């Protein structure tokens, strides 16, 4: 069986790592990189550090408006799929690359599976929310990372084509964390374990407005320990446009981190402050408290279990939220057991594509 994975943005490379490994010897696996992320620190280092084979094709689409970027991917992926004629297209997560993969596949009547299906923020301002809803509804197979995600899919009438497999990010995180017990990685800027916070901010809703970004940086600047701020290219660009210095107070700006460095920095931090989806979950899996600068989260289990707190409009509450007492210990595993990728491959190998006219559950 020939399976084509389509990836393009940083979090998708992380999800690809355990899938590529699980495919070995079981299926012919090809990787198409849309080129959505192209800086070395945003793309290449992930392939290198996570041992992912180089993409079979890179479309080199690069940055642009949503329409330009998604349209260019759609055209490029159509040609790629015509060339590779896969038995399955595997789309990952919720980026523009995800939506383009699903659309290109269904137009060619190719079966498409969506990894990380069923997540919902219910925030229609987020481009990711549209990407994931549209991809789920186009997909022949929805691979849900959690019970909550599966329940969303069922509610939307997609139950008969949905499978609970767990989260492949758990697979890769556990693997990298365990490797680091053997080969420790240095912390950036020589900070001491449990004497710093780790922060990432990249969403348009947090960076595009000068006033909001200033309030976030001000909140970080006044924290009681150094804050390693890993700077995404959008944050760097918007801060420069707004004339905002990121090197203020407790804030220590650093370049984007590779995956092992990020896991290491999160694990040894006093807490994480982020607007990233993946990092909220990674913090939870590492049992590090997370404060999320967003009005809502797709990863609701992290909040319900006490390990994630949302701060949105009242950014003056940031300091207090970050310094809150240690959350209650839990052995809950809402995101699987670390073997989701094997289940993905088994499911794809055994799945029959559903009749498009069959009634949904
Ligand atoms: C994308 C995803 C988002 C995910 C994030 C992870 C969409 C709609 N959003 O957001 O869900 O959380 O990836 O990082 O797909 N840039 C560079 N170098 C790069 C890549 C981007 O300089 O290698 C700059 C460009 O100025 C670009 C901007 O970053 O315009 C934003 O990149 P883009 O791919 O549009 O979206 P992300 O914000 O990275």
């Amino acid at each position: 069986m020939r399976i084509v994975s389509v990836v393009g943005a940083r979090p998708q490379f992380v999800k690809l790592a355990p899938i590529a490994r699980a495919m070995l010897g079981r299926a012919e696996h090809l990787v198409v990189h849309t080129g959505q992320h192209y800086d070395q620190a945003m793309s290449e280092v992930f392939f290198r550090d996570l041992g992912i084979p180089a993409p079979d094709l890179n479309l080199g689409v690069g940055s642009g408006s949503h329409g330009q970027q998604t349209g260019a991917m759609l055209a490029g992926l159509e040609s790629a799929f015509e060339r590779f004629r896969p038995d399955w297209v595997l789309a990952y997560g919720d980026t523009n690359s995800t939506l383009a993969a699903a659309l290109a596949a269904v137009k060619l009547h190719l079966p498409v599976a969506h990894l990380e299906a069923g997540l919902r923020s219910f925030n229609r301002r987020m481009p990711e929310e549209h990407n994931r809803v549209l991809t789920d509804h186009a997909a022949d197979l929805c691979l849900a990372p959690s019970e909550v995600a599966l329940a969303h899919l069922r509610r939307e009438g997609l139950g008969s084509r949905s499978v609970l497999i767990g989260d492949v990010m758990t697979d890769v995180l556990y693997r990298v964390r365990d490797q680091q017990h053997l080969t420790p990685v240095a912390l950036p800027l020589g900070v001491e374990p449990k004497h710093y916070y780790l922060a990432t901010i990249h969403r348009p809703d947090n960076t595009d407005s000068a006033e909001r970004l200033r309030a976030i940086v001000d909140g970080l600047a006044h924290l009681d320990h150094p804050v390693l701020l890993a700077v995404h290219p959008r944050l760097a660009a918007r801060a420069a446009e707004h004339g905002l210095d990121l090197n203020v107070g407790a804030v220590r700006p650093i370049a984007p981190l590779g995956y092992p460095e990020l896991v290491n920095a999160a694990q040894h931090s006093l807490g994480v402050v982020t607007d990233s989806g993946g990092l909220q979950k990674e913090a939870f899996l590492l049992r590090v408290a997370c404060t999320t600068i967003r009005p809502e989260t797709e990863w609701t289990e992290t909040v319900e279990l006490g390990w994630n707190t949302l701060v949105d409009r009242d950014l003056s509450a940031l300091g207090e939220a970050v310094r809150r007492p240690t959350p209650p210990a839990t052995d809950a595993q809402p995101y699987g057991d670390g073997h989701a990728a094997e289940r993905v491959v088994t499911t794809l190998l055994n799945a029959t594509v559903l009749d498009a006219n069959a009634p949904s559950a």
Side-chain angles (χ1 to χ4, degrees):
M1 178 177 283
R2 179 179 292 168
I3 299 168
V4 169
S5 282
V6 178
V7 293
R10 194 164 56 166
Q12 294 170 320
F13 310 141
V14 176
K15 291 164 201 165
L16 171 63
I19 293 286
R21 183 178 290 270
M23 291 276 185
L24 286 174
R26 299 188 70 194
E28 184 191 356
H29 184 222
L30 301 176
V31 175
V32 179
H33 186 326
T34 62
Q36 176 169 353
H37 285 172
Y38 46 87
D39 287 348
Q40 200 186 349
M42 300 288 287
S43 173
E44 229 173 281
V45 292
F46 290 86
F47 284 80
R48 189 195 63 205
D49 293 349
L50 296 173
I52 310 168
D56 296 276
L57 180 66
N58 190 323
L59 301 176
V61 164
S63 299
S65 68
H66 286 283
Q68 280 168 343
Q69 190 181 57
T70 313
M73 290 173 188
L74 193 51
L77 287 170
E78 190 169 66
S79 308
F81 294 163
E82 273 171 339
R83 184 170 138 207
F84 294 138
R85 296 307 308 177
D87 298 298
W88 278 104
V89 170
L90 185 56
Y92 295 64
D94 58 15
T95 73
N96 290 342
S97 300
T98 316
L99 178 62
L103 275 181
V106 294
K107 300 280 183 191
L108 293 172
H109 306 297
L110 293 172
V112 54
H114 183 204
L115 184 77
E116 210 179 71
L119 292 185
R120 298 290 181 265
S121 68
F122 302 102
N123 176 351
R124 289 171 55 80
R125 274 186 54 82
M126 287 177 72
E128 293 85 355
E129 182 71 357
H130 297 284
N131 290 342
R132 53 173 95 96
V133 169
L134 292 166
T135 301
D136 283 342
H137 283 258
D140 298 280
L141 185 58
C142 292
L143 302 163
S146 65
E147 294 278 1
V148 170
L150 184 66
H152 291 147
L153 293 163
R154 287 186 174 141
R155 208 168 302 129
E156 293 174 26
L158 302 176
S160 64
R161 62 182 86 163
S162 301
V163 185
L164 177 64
I165 52 135
D167 194 325
V168 298
M169 285 188 67
T170 305
D171 302 17
V172 60
L173 179 98
Y174 284 175
R175 190 179 154 79
V176 166
R177 180 200 59 187
D178 293 347
Q179 271 169 355
Q180 286 175 356
H181 287 313
L182 305 173
T183 325
V185 176
L187 288 167
L189 306 181
V191 291
E192 293 293 325
K194 299 295 169 192
H195 283 83
Y196 67 93
Y197 298 105
L198 174 67
T200 73
I201 299 295
H202 78 286
R203 290 193 183 278
D205 274 359
N206 283 335
T207 53
D208 288 357
S209 148
E211 194 191 340
R212 180 157 175 97
L213 183 56
R214 202 175 293 278
I216 292 172
V217 173
D218 192 56
L220 297 176
H222 285 93
L223 290 181
D224 54 340
H225 285 87
V227 181
L228 295 178
L229 174 63
V231 179
H232 181 284
R234 178 188 278 106
L235 173 59
R238 294 295 178 271
E241 278 165 33
H242 303 326
L244 183 62
D245 185 4
L246 296 175
N247 204 349
V248 284
V251 181
R252 311 274 183 274
I254 54 172
L257 294 170
Y259 190 72
E261 290 77 16
L262 178 99
V263 171
N264 187 50
Q267 181 169 16
H268 296 294
S269 71
L270 279 168
V272 163
V273 183
T274 191
D275 61 3
S276 149
L279 188 49
Q280 291 172 50
K281 201 174 39 187
E282 282 149 357
F284 169 73
L285 293 169
L286 293 165
R287 298 301 191 264
V288 170
C290 181
T291 305
T292 298
I293 307 186
R294 279 184 50 194
E296 76 290 298
T297 177
E298 300 79 20
W299 305 106
T300 50
E301 302 90 341
T302 61
V303 175
E304 279 152 20
L305 291 164
W307 287 81
N308 192 6
T309 292
L310 306 179
V311 173
D312 182 37
R313 284 180 186 280
D314 183 13
L315 287 162
S316 66
L318 185 64
E320 206 181 315
V322 171
R323 291 191 308 268
R324 69 192 184 276
T326 308
T330 173
D331 55 9
Q333 284 194 319
Y335 307 122
D337 57 2
H339 296 282
E342 292 144 43
R343 254 173 248 129
V344 169
V345 177
T346 303
T347 306
L348 290 176
L349 290 175
N350 295 328
T352 40
V353 178
L354 292 170
D355 178 352
N357 297 317
S360 305

